[in-house]
Amino acid sequence: MRQSKLFGKTEKEERGDSTLASHRLLVKAGFIRESVAGRYFLLPLAMRVFYKMTAIIRDEMNKKGAQEMISPTLHPLELWQETNRDNAGNFGLMLVEDRRGGKFALGGTAEEMFVDVVRKFQLSYKDLPFNIYQFSTKFRDELRARGGLLRVREFVMKDAYSFDRSAEEFKKTYDEMSDAYFASFKRMDLEANKVLADNGYIGGEYCHEYIVDCAVGESRYLVTADGSYLAHEDVAEIALPPMNGDEEIRDMISIEQPAWVKTMADNQKFHGAPAWKYLKNVVYRRSDTGEIIIVTIRGDLDVNKTKLEKLMGAIELLEDATDDDLAKLGTQSGYVHSWGHAATYVADLSLYSVRNFIGGQKTDTTDTTDVNYGRDFKHSIEADVALAQPGHFTKDGKELFERRGVEVGNIFQLGTHYTNKMTNATFMDEAGTPVPYYMGCYGIGVGRTLATVVEVHHDDKGIVWPKSIAPYLVHLVALNNEEGEIRDWADGLYTNLQAAGVEVLYDDRDARAGEKFADSDLIGLPYRVVVSKKGKAEGLYEVVERATGEVKKVSETELFALLGVATV
Amino acid sequence: MRQSKLFGKTEKEERGDSTLASHRLLVKAGFIRESVAGRYFLLPLAMRVFYKMTAIIRDEMNKKGAQEMISPTLHPLELWQETNRDNAGNFGLMLVEDRRGGKFALGGTAEEMFVDVVRKFQLSYKDLPFNIYQFSTKFRDELRARGGLLRVREFVMKDAYSFDRSAEEFKKTYDEMSDAYFASFKRMDLEANKVLADNGYIGGEYCHEYIVDCAVGESRYLVTADGSYLAHEDVAEIALPPMNGDEEIRDMISIEQPAWVKTMADNQKFHGAPAWKYLKNVVYRRSDTGEIIIVTIRGDLDVNKTKLEKLMGAIELLEDATDDDLAKLGTQSGYVHSWGHAATYVADLSLYSVRNFIGGQKTDTTDTTDVNYGRDFKHSIEADVALAQPGHFTKDGKELFERRGVEVGNIFQLGTHYTNKMTNATFMDEAGTPVPYYMGCYGIGVGRTLATVVEVHHDDKGIVWPKSIAPYLVHLVALNNEEGEIRDWADGLYTNLQAAGVEVLYDDRDARAGEKFADSDLIGLPYRVVVSKKGKAEGLYEVVERATGEVKKVSETELFALLGVATV
């Protein structure tokens, strides 16, 4: 490709003030342009990367026997109604109506569509297992889009849906998909971590996210030093050993306490005890029903809203209670009681780990102490709703550390979550009995993964593309090409490289050497091959490897050898 | 691929009563399934054909220097408003709104999006010409969907947009795209005809459709025996030589005429003159404004509604007038006057070809005769709105014949139609003056082309895929494979063929020979290779070429030679 005619120019200055390198560099280097917030054009350079990435993913999926197909973009809304997902949670399903009144969803995922196409066939146990997937545009009506391709409202996702006969057979499929994911990311030079995660509105019993560590990532997870436990903060579980198991249990008493003692800091100042000794009450309101939920938790812990939402069947529906909400309960911030308000109480399991809590019934002048959970109060809803933090320990006693990264893929066990809800989603077993399919689903966001590669592989000059997915292998940079002789020499090399099957971007522009080198670093192809007047005199090309900065002077034969192709 | 695990089974019986072979066969052979009317799943077999087709189109586009990219699926509605296409005509634009109130169109075409991305760059004459394209899902809210993939509501289209400096430069681009189209269709074994066509709501001055002849096609076009003129019925022009140029022009008179003379047949019966001698009046109503339009045309001709809609700026907005509409004009069917009603009159140019017309002012008991257009009445709107028919002649005197086919692609000159309407859609010329881009656009509907291949290439047993786009080259059919020895032999050949890079569908099912052969004919892969007990005894395979029915018995070495691959 001659750069003079390439659609998608580099820019000298960075636009905007994005903190994301992938956003800044992909725009500046001419890979992407925003249409409106969260919706991007992939320009020709990005398109080439995109196809190389999809080819890798396809190859790894096909190796596992998965079969590619494609579903319509508009999903009949009846299908989403069959599984109660048309309004489950607040996850940004976009709706569209045709002029005959037909209602459709612009899906962010396609479980219902794939179950629907499968149930159009009368399949038997002999036809199973199978795994079908597509690359297709997905839509999420995100409230906030981040800059660049990391969190968008429209994106291409590879989504696969497996159909097995049983939980046991499924385990093999799940592991195979995990292998395919690791292999795919590795081929893109991404080191992914397989992290236990929350399944959100997808459903099922367990799932994993593939997270590539990176400071700007939005996924926070906890990991042990030996890597035996990796769990997203949404689901990470911690050990809750007794904090003061040898302390004698005392009778609850009411004490005098000044009105200024409201926050945890106030309490510690007033009582001198550590944070875990206090009862903490956190209040939420369901945005759909208005229900008030009070979580009582050990004072040193925070509430994990994702765990709580899942527990309460209120995915993306819990909001922090306002002063108004508290006033309606007859209380105010700092005065919420651990029992007794007209609200739904949830007790975190950490309440069992402390004897003789301080707090629980604060008034203007008093509070309670030596409160013991299970004796002085007990809630019918008890669950783990605590947020894991670095320094906490796993249940088997290993310290947890914090990491951040970008979620580039995920795999879900679905079991019969969908096939039980949807009619006729069954196959015939050997006895002729209809049995619901046992399912899994598996997603990779292609654009987000592309951006993650840039987050991980760049320097202060620009992108450093891995060879496997670089838009071109070689950036042929012609200097002094205003001179016919040099231009002819460069043209000749361009022709020969292409004839040998090498993908070349040829900077044939009238521009200064400095500009060409800066653009070349910015675009970030693996090899820069410089044709110059000086080189012509020596019969040599200068080759610079982008990743290492290593410079070599080589003949055409040596160049072809270095690129691993036969001379024409 | 082992057929036992292929997702997408053949069916023994045909479902539904579609008159379209492509619909019946693609469903029966397990290539496609309907989601809802006009929206299809492409199953794994179809997906393979789809990718081979897109690879051919991409290759031919790239050979012409076109560059692939992709735009968002949701188009900001403001862009369509910039060109007044958000409600121009009734062509089925679907709208969608996000939860922040952003309005979007689900586009059936993407001119505005591509102009928008181009104007995000400050380009100069040096950067031109360029041609950018995408394969993306398009949406058309069709009132009627046909069976199968021929006319659908959602489909993948390759759409390209070229940006040239001038009309002259553009002509080369237009011709190159035409070459790329012929080459693409030829590689899919389709003989396409390049036919002058109407540009509908796309705009511009001229365009061509690529039509593959086929009885079930919806595109009717007219062609001369020598192929020098091919024009869609929407735009075909005909010669209008004087019909009675030597007849003396007489004075218009009113004659007695009984009330029963209403239709053309009545007139011919009463007056004994041929159809061309009468004035015909055809009445339409604009569905948007209610305006009544009366077309006066020579009695032997029909009105071409497409020409009329274009003339009146009323694309897809004209409806036949009802009895009510006529009553409001103070008339009724058979009594419409050629002048004098309170309506917009349009005179077809054919009115100039006849002297002394009969008709024009019919009442219950009278009519006029010897009416001469231009003398006795004249309309301010005069245009060619006649429908060409077989037997008519071109302006250079060649007889026109009728053909039907499927439109598989189209190319449009757009000129500055969009770049004049949209702001900043300009490049800097050599003098530093901003000049609007000179554009063209070019579409190929991939699914429709796939269906057309099946319409053209099938027999009563099933599909006959061209080698270039067949889902697999070889259908390996194992008979007697309940016997381990035969199964091992078949497995071995399957492994060897795959190792040699041959794409194989392997019928490893437990099924009768008759069923396997019927499925093999139905799916229609180029070569069937039969492994059987008898063949094993001889050490030979039976090879059947699907297109010719030719049968050969060959050794493994001969088989590989026949398939053009080296033995492993």
Side-chain angles (χ1 to χ4, degrees), chain B residues 255-267:
Chain B
I255 57 161
E256 303 283 314
Q257 183 178 284
W260 63 262
V261 180
K262 289 182 182 174
T263 66
M264 188 54 62
D266 298 340
N267 266 295

Side-chain angles (χ1 to χ4, degrees), chain A residues 256-297:
Chain A
E256 301 283 315
Q257 182 177 285
W260 62 263
V261 180
K262 289 180 183 177
T263 66
M264 187 55 61
D266 298 338
N267 266 294
Q268 289 184 255
K269 189 171 168 190
F270 181 73
H271 293 281
W276 58 260
K277 199 75 198 302
Y278 304 88
L279 285 169
K280 183 194 276 189
N281 303 294
V282 189
V283 190
Y284 296 94
R285 183 176 29 77
R286 271 187 80 129
S287 62
D288 56 345
T289 60
E291 179 185 9
I292 299 292
I293 295 163
I294 302 175
V295 180
T296 308
I297 190 168

Side-chain angles (χ1 to χ4, degrees), chain A residues 219-225 229 231-234 236-239 298 300-302 304 386-394 398-404:
Chain A
S219 294
R220 178 175 165 274
Y221 67 100
L222 287 304
V223 58
T224 57
Y229 184 77
H232 193 284
E233 65 173 345
D234 288 346
E237 295 183 349
I238 54 174
R298 208 171 75 188
D300 61 329
L301 297 175
D302 289 321
N304 182 326
L387 187 68
Q389 297 285 11
H392 286 154
F393 288 82
T394 61
K398 295 174 184 164
E399 187 177 352
L400 288 169
F401 300 89
E402 179 185 62
R403 289 210 222 143
R404 298 192 73 85

Side-chain angles (χ1 to χ4, degrees), chain A residues 1 4-11 15 30 32-37 39-45 47-48 51 58 65 67-76 78-79 90-92 94-100 102 104 106 113-114 116-118 120-123 125-130 132 135 137 139 141-144 153-154 156 165 316 510, chain B residues 1 4-11 15 30 32-37 39-45 47-48 51 58 65 67-76 78-79 90-92 94-100 102 104 106 113-114 116-118 120-123 125-130 132 135 137 139 141-144 153-154 156 165 316 510:
Chain A
M1 179 76 216
S4 58
K5 292 292 176 273
L6 176 69
F7 180 66
K9 305 289 170 193
T10 55
E11 299 192 334
R15 297 201 282 183
I32 63 171
R33 276 298 177 278
E34 189 182 76
S35 165
V36 291
R39 304 186 195 278
Y40 281 86
F41 292 93
L42 298 190
L43 303 179
L45 285 177
M47 202 69 209
R48 294 179 69 94
Y51 275 130
R58 178 178 296 119
Q67 301 174 57
E68 188 175 357
M69 53 169 287
I70 198 161
S71 80
T73 303
L74 296 194
H75 303 179
E78 307 94 82
L79 294 180
N90 192 17
F91 61 87
M94 296 189 83
L95 301 182
V96 53
E97 189 167 339
D98 72 13
R99 52 177 168 169
R100 293 162 310 286
F104 298 91
L106 282 169
M113 289 295 276
F114 275 72
D116 190 48
V117 71
V118 167
K120 289 177 192 293
F121 294 89
Q122 275 70 52
L123 298 183
Y125 66 96
K126 285 187 194 170
D127 303 309
L128 271 67
F130 60 90
I132 42 185
F135 287 94
T137 303
F139 302 85
D141 200 357
E142 300 275 5
L143 279 175
R144 287 170 305 113
R153 300 198 167 103
E154 186 181 328
V156 171
R165 283 170 277 214
E316 302 212 11
D510 295 329
Chain B
M1 180 75 218
S4 58
K5 291 291 178 272
L6 176 69
F7 181 65
K9 304 290 171 191
T10 56
E11 299 194 333
R15 296 200 283 184
I32 63 172
R33 276 298 179 279
E34 189 182 78
S35 165
V36 292
R39 305 188 195 276
Y40 281 87
F41 293 93
L42 298 190
L43 304 179
L45 285 177
M47 203 66 209
R48 293 180 70 93
Y51 276 129
R58 178 177 296 122
Q67 300 174 58
E68 188 172 358
M69 53 170 286
I70 198 160
S71 79
T73 303
L74 295 194
H75 303 179
E78 308 94 83
L79 295 179
N90 192 15
F91 61 87
M94 295 189 84
L95 301 181
V96 53
E97 191 169 335
D98 72 14
R99 52 178 166 167
R100 290 162 311 286
F104 298 91
L106 282 170
M113 289 295 277
F114 274 72
D116 189 48
V117 72
V118 167
K120 289 177 191 292
F121 295 89
Q122 276 69 52
L123 299 183
Y125 67 96
K126 286 186 194 170
D127 302 310
L128 271 67
F130 60 88
I132 41 185
F135 287 93
T137 302
F139 302 84
D141 200 358
E142 301 276 3
L143 279 176
R144 287 169 304 113
R153 300 198 167 102
E154 187 181 327
V156 171
R165 284 170 276 214
E316 301 210 12
D510 295 328

Side-chain angles (χ1 to χ4, degrees), chain A residues 332-395:
Chain A
Q332 57 177 299
S333 181
Y335 287 80
V336 178
H337 292 182
S338 299
W339 67 94
H341 289 302
T344 304
Y345 275 97
V346 173
D348 180 64
L349 299 181
S350 59
L351 298 187
Y352 283 114
S353 65
V354 173
R355 293 180 166 193
N356 306 321
F357 273 115
I358 301 168
Q361 293 292 314
K362 164 134 181 94
T363 68
D364 267 353
T365 53
T366 66
D367 201 348
T368 41
T369 67
D370 296 333
V371 179
N372 283 277
Y373 182 70
R375 181 194 70 181
D376 303 321
F377 72 107
K378 190 168 186 337
H379 299 316
S380 58
I381 308 177
E382 297 180 333
D384 166 23
V385 291
L387 187 68
Q389 297 285 11
H392 286 154
F393 288 82
T394 61
K395 291 189 172 172

Side-chain angles (χ1 to χ4, degrees), chain A residues 83 90 308 447 519 528 535 556:
Chain A
T83 58
N90 192 17
L308 181 65
D519 274 1
R528 179 198 300 167
E556 185 163 329

Side-chain angles (χ1 to χ4, degrees), chain A residues 128-289:
Chain A
L128 271 67
F130 60 90
N131 187 351
I132 42 185
Y133 71 98
Q134 64 180 351
F135 287 94
S136 76
T137 303
K138 303 295 188 297
F139 302 85
R140 299 238 172 119
D141 200 357
E142 300 275 5
L143 279 175
R144 287 170 305 113
R146 282 188 102 183
L149 303 182
L150 278 182
R151 178 181 290 280
V152 292
R153 300 198 167 103
E154 186 181 328
F155 54 97
V156 171
M157 184 195 270
K158 186 284 298 168
D159 46 329
Y161 304 87
S162 66
F163 294 79
D164 281 286
R165 283 170 277 214
S166 65
E168 191 183 15
E169 190 172 73
F170 167 75
K171 282 204 171 60
K172 182 166 169 277
T173 303
Y174 194 76
D175 287 344
E176 281 183 345
M177 283 297 99
S178 183
D179 292 346
Y181 273 37
F182 276 125
S184 297
F185 295 125
K186 189 173 179 194
R187 286 172 65 178
M188 301 171 198
D189 248 352
L190 290 178
E191 195 181 318
N193 299 286
K194 182 180 176 185
V195 176
L196 262 176
D198 175 60
N199 55 23
Y201 61 87
I202 300 289
E205 292 153 34
Y206 56 90
C207 70
H208 290 85
E209 288 183 0
Y210 290 79
I211 297 179
V212 174
D213 287 359
C214 138
V216 300
E218 289 187 323
S219 294
R220 178 175 165 274
Y221 67 100
L222 287 304
V223 58
T224 57
D226 64 359
S228 62
Y229 184 77
L230 297 94
H232 193 284
E233 65 173 345
D234 288 346
V235 299
E237 295 183 349
I238 54 174
L240 294 168
M243 302 302 281
N244 54 348
D246 50 2
E247 192 170 308
E248 193 189 346
I249 292 176
R250 296 187 292 271
D251 286 346
M252 181 172 85
I253 55 170
S254 184
I255 57 161
E256 301 283 315
Q257 182 177 285
W260 62 263
V261 180
K262 289 180 183 177
T263 66
M264 187 55 61
D266 298 338
N267 266 294
Q268 289 184 255
K269 189 171 168 190
F270 181 73
H271 293 281
W276 58 260
K277 199 75 198 302
Y278 304 88
L279 285 169
K280 183 194 276 189
N281 303 294
V282 189
V283 190
Y284 296 94
R285 183 176 29 77
R286 271 187 80 129
S287 62
D288 56 345
T289 60

